[in-house]
Amino acid sequence: MRVRDLPLSASHTDHFVERGIRELYPPQAAAVDAGVCEGSNVVAAIPTASGKTFIAQLGLLTADGPGLYVCPLRALAREKYESFAALPGLDVGISTGDFAASEGDLAGNDIVVATSEKVDSAIRNGASWVDELACVVVDEVHLLDAERRGPTLEVTLATLRRKNPDIQVVALSATVDNPEAIAAWLDATLVESDWRPVDLRTGVAVGESIAFDDGTAREVPIDESAREGGRGDHADTDVTAALVGDTVDEGGQCLAFVRSRAEAASLAQRLAADGLAERMGIEATAAAVGDEAAAVDGTVTGRQLADCLRSGVAFHHAGLRSGHRAVVESAFRDRKLACICATPTLAAGVNVPARRVVVRDQKRYSGSAMEWLPTLEVHQMCGRAGRPGLDPHGEAVLVGDPDTRDDLVERYIEGEPEAVESTLADPASLRTHVLSAIATGFAETESEILDVFEGTFYAREAGAGGLADAVAAAVDDLVSAEMVRRETAGGVGDYRLVATPVGETTSKQYVRPETGERIVDGLRTAAAMSDARTLTAFELICDTPDMQDTYLGNEERAEMYRFARANAGALTTGMHETGDFEEWLESVKTARILDEWIGGATAEELVEAYRIGPGDLDSRIERAEWLLSAAEALADTVGVSVPSVPRARSRL
């Protein structure tokens, strides 16, 4: 099937043809046959690099009205925004945490790119542009089973369909075990394929030997002069370094996945000594990339990254600043880098294909023990192997040993990815969305709440009885938290559910009910304090489920304990009042960092003093701005005055 045969405008057809898109890939042609250009709902469950974005564009460009592209990750949203904005004759808007677009900015656009959280917030606040949508594309729909993001994605999609039953839904997914269940939920035609534009072979490396799933084998010698020796991680690192070097010597680039941030940086520093820039012939360009990264900031992490980049290697994880991540991703796509050492988050993120993918670590620490990575996650890593038009094939190699070889083959090479399951049953998530349904006026009774959630994936899985029980428990919890009240209506025993002023503000400010409750308690305590400072404001918002935890190292614990005791008069929670002392102490650490930031401490000083990533600092500052804004709104709602809250917010 040719692009010129599609029902697109001449300008859009020319745009695609000029970029080399003339013939449709088989999955894309199947999506057209399924009606993606005719307003039909379609679920495309196909491998990475098989043309999902073009399927999305077909749905959006042929829709009879404005379209929405929902992304799970900000970096991915920015990438898709740039892709859509390049299409001629279209007005494209974006709304993520990095780009806080207003209602006016988004209204009137032909396409809006947004995270599911931003769409959910727009719905809660009655944004008019949401009601005008003709098509919604959901990228990475398999993330329905993500712990916090999944319920928001699920409810948002169900609400959009309930508000506009005629809206077209195009859902894009990696290969999962139950795509037919997702398609049935969305009343969609399933397009399922394992076709890839570049063949992929997957194998397990044990020592110097790789055994691939196509029956072939390969020897990759380990440089004895660079061998770290021993078994375990060191032996795995030796094998990984050999695999990366072998790829570079053959003119390719490599992605190496490891379990943690520290391991990503450590492996990159190890590979930087292997002369990869010289072996790839990119010494000058790699040096320039290093200088570009160094200009982002002068933190320890930034300096380490810049040094690695000058050697043709990078590390990539959530602790990096967005500017650093952008430098790494762009340089890799432009072949100015030989290898990226990354945590698994990169696999579900932006488009950075490579000749070979090496998965050194297949387990990670879950908080209590080392656990195997999900098969889907490893498949997404492996799917990054093979660059269309550049590589004859892609290779994905899992690093193992004689004891794990068979397990790796069975679990990740021969094994099927997990089924997608709803996580909306999580009580905290359900309370959040039940409150939203009541506060927005979508529902006034438990029966009406069930109607709102009837279109969720969870309702399809749990059945009417399971959903009813879960909703009843959520309503009881919200009444106890004084977020919702029952008002008598009609006959005996009849009542309607109404959001209290605190509940309504909590929902509109897009914070969890538990966060709203904690902030209100903290505000009332702070209002009665004689020593309420900016530290007070930060502590009351940091000790909430909506503020990310900040790791507290063993060496820091005693110092943070002393700090908390010395500043007890400025804290809204006493040491003896904490439900979880360790978590509270972590929140005190975050509050202290933020207070020192507005006091003039530099990012360089805070990163070094508190052993946090510069990206972590940025995310805490961003969340603090949001939560302090919510605290101001809640203070107005309950009629208390805590001047340190707006003062802290104005200085961030």
Side-chain angles (χ1 to χ4, degrees):
M1 186 179 294
R2 299 185 308 165
V3 169
R4 292 201 181 277
D5 295 330
L6 298 173
L8 301 175
S9 68
S11 62
H12 292 147
T13 298
D14 291 343
H15 171 85
F16 293 123
V17 170
E18 287 169 5
R19 283 156 178 76
I21 305 174
R22 295 179 174 83
E23 295 283 339
L24 271 63
Y25 290 159
Q28 295 168 339
V32 173
D33 291 340
V36 73
C37 298
E38 300 167 1
S40 299
N41 294 346
V42 174
V43 170
I46 59 180
T48 300
S50 296
K52 288 194 284 282
T53 299
F54 187 70
I55 293 173
Q57 290 171 324
L58 289 178
L60 293 167
L61 291 175
T62 56
D64 188 23
L68 169 66
Y69 191 99
V70 182
C71 277
L73 303 171
R74 296 180 187 179
L76 189 57
R78 182 64 188 180
E79 183 179 294
K80 298 305 180 185
Y81 166 76
E82 292 172 352
S83 174
F84 294 136
L87 291 165
L90 294 181
D91 292 322
V92 183
I94 182 170
S95 182
T96 68
D98 295 324
F99 303 93
S102 67
E103 161 79 0
D105 293 332
L106 296 177
N109 281 294
D110 299 299
I111 298 174
V112 171
V113 180
T115 57
S116 55
E117 290 80 8
K118 285 295 184 179
V119 181
D120 185 26
S121 179
I123 292 171
R124 294 189 195 193
N125 287 279
S128 61
W129 63 268
V130 173
D131 298 325
E132 300 168 0
L133 294 172
C135 176
V136 56
V137 175
V138 182
D139 199 1
E140 309 282 351
V141 73
H142 53 271
L143 290 178
L144 284 168
D145 64 1
E147 183 177 349
R148 295 189 68 163
R149 182 176 293 119
T152 300
L153 174 59
E154 181 178 345
V155 172
T156 298
L157 191 49
T159 303
L160 287 173
R161 297 184 71 207
R162 187 170 184 266
K163 288 169 70 70
N164 182 1
D166 295 327
I167 195 169
Q168 179 187 14
V169 178
V170 180
L172 311 174
S173 174
T175 304
V176 295
D177 187 56
N178 60 334
E180 65 285 341
I182 299 174
W185 166 50
L186 296 174
D187 301 314
T189 300
L190 173 63
V191 174
E192 187 176 14
S193 173
D194 58 5
W195 183 91
R196 286 172 46 95
V198 180
D199 288 339
L200 173 67
R201 60 177 185 172
T202 307
V204 175
V206 176
E208 298 183 336
S209 300
I210 312 173
F212 288 104
D213 58 351
D214 61 1
T216 61
R218 179 168 182 163
E219 295 294 313
V220 179
I222 296 173
D223 184 354
E224 293 296 331
S225 65
R227 182 184 286 274
E228 295 190 16
R231 289 180 59 80
D233 289 342
H234 292 305
D236 292 346
T237 297
D238 292 334
V239 174
T240 302
L243 291 167
V244 172
D246 178 67
T247 309
V248 173
D249 290 341
E250 291 195 343
Q253 293 169 282
C254 196
L255 295 176
F257 288 101
V258 293
R259 68 172 62 96
S260 68
R261 298 178 182 185
E263 293 286 356
S266 176
L267 179 59
Q269 290 169 327
R270 159 72 173 79
L271 293 174
D274 287 353
L276 296 180
E278 293 82 357
R279 290 157 70 176
M280 191 172 170
I282 55 169
E283 299 97 316
T285 54
V289 172
D291 292 343
E292 185 181 356
V296 174
D297 70 18
T299 61
V300 173
T301 303
R303 294 197 303 270
Q304 289 174 341
L305 177 62
D307 288 343
C308 289
L309 287 168
R310 294 186 182 102
S311 298
V313 185
F315 54 89
H316 188 292
H317 55 64
L320 293 181
R321 283 196 144 148
S322 59
H324 282 139
R325 294 196 296 272
V327 168
V328 170
E329 293 157 9
S330 176
F332 193 79
R333 280 194 291 264
D334 293 340
R335 291 184 57 78
K336 297 177 181 179
L337 290 179
C339 179
I340 298 178
C341 304
T343 53
T345 53
L346 181 66
V350 293
N351 180 30
V352 282
R355 169 79 60 82
R356 178 181 283 165
V357 167
V358 180
V359 184
R360 193 197 70 178
D361 303 331
Q362 302 89 32
K363 290 184 177 182
R364 65 169 164 241
Y365 188 64
S366 65
S368 58
M370 296 296 290
E371 294 185 355
W372 290 105
L373 297 177
T375 300
L376 175 59
E377 195 168 312
V378 173
H379 282 193
Q380 286 191 290
M381 297 180 205
C382 295
R384 294 291 174 189
R387 301 161 300 173
L390 292 175
D391 295 327
H393 61 266
E395 284 186 359
V397 182
L398 312 178
V399 178
D401 58 43
D403 295 330
T404 62
R405 178 197 286 114
D406 292 344
D407 283 342
L408 295 178
V409 170
E410 180 180 356
R411 183 180 293 272
Y412 298 122
I413 296 180
E414 297 176 349
E416 295 295 325
E418 295 81 7
V420 174
E421 297 180 354
S422 172
T423 52
L424 184 58
D426 169 62
S429 295
L430 195 59
R431 283 193 294 270
T432 297
H433 293 290
V434 167
L435 175 60
S436 173
I438 297 170
T440 54
F442 285 172
E444 291 188 344
T445 65
E446 290 185 18
S447 176
E448 290 178 359
I449 295 172
L450 292 175
D451 289 341
V452 170
F453 290 149
E454 182 182 17
T456 62
F457 192 50
Y458 173 58
R460 184 178 182 86
E461 288 186 317
L467 180 60
D469 290 344
V471 165
V475 169
D476 287 344
D477 290 342
L478 290 169
V479 170
S480 297
E482 299 182 356
M483 295 280 164
V484 170
R485 66 175 181 270
R486 293 183 173 97
E487 290 186 350
T488 302
V492 178
D494 291 339
Y495 63 86
R496 67 189 187 102
L497 299 170
V498 179
T500 65
V502 169
E504 187 172 342
T505 301
T506 294
S507 183
K508 285 189 174 181
Q509 292 298 313
Y510 206 71
V511 296
R512 288 190 167 210
E514 297 84 354
T515 294
E517 187 178 15
R518 166 69 184 101
I519 288 177
V520 168
D521 288 344
L523 287 168
R524 287 172 171 154
T525 300
M529 290 167 55
S530 59
D531 189 26
R533 313 195 303 259
T534 52
L535 177 65
T536 311
F538 287 128
E539 181 257 343
L540 72 88
I541 62 159
C542 289
D543 188 24
T544 65
D546 279 310
M547 175 58 81
Q548 295 169 316
D549 293 335
T550 301
Y551 175 73
L552 187 65
N554 291 328
E555 297 177 1
E556 296 178 292
R557 191 169 286 102
E559 165 56 26
M560 209 55 60
Y561 178 80
R562 287 191 291 270
F563 175 83
R565 288 195 62 179
N567 291 275
L571 304 179
T572 62
T573 300
M575 290 185 180
H576 62 285
E577 300 171 340
T578 62
D580 186 316
F581 182 76
E582 189 75 10
E583 286 187 4
W584 176 75
L585 209 56
E586 289 174 353
S587 71
V588 171
K589 175 182 176 179
T590 307
R592 182 178 183 180
I593 291 170
L594 292 168
D595 204 45
E596 291 185 13
W597 169 256
I598 67 169
T602 65
E604 290 79 4
E605 291 168 340
L606 293 172
V607 166
E608 192 156 0
Y610 294 105
R611 298 191 299 174
I612 60 172
D616 297 325
L617 176 61
D618 291 344
S619 67
R620 301 309 186 273
I621 292 169
E622 182 184 313
R623 282 180 177 260
E625 290 175 331
W626 161 46
L627 292 171
L628 286 171
S629 175
E632 286 189 62
L634 286 165
D636 288 342
T637 299
V638 298
V640 300
S641 176
V642 183
S644 60
V645 170
R647 188 163 67 247
R649 185 184 175 206
S650 68
R651 294 170 64 184
L652 275 175

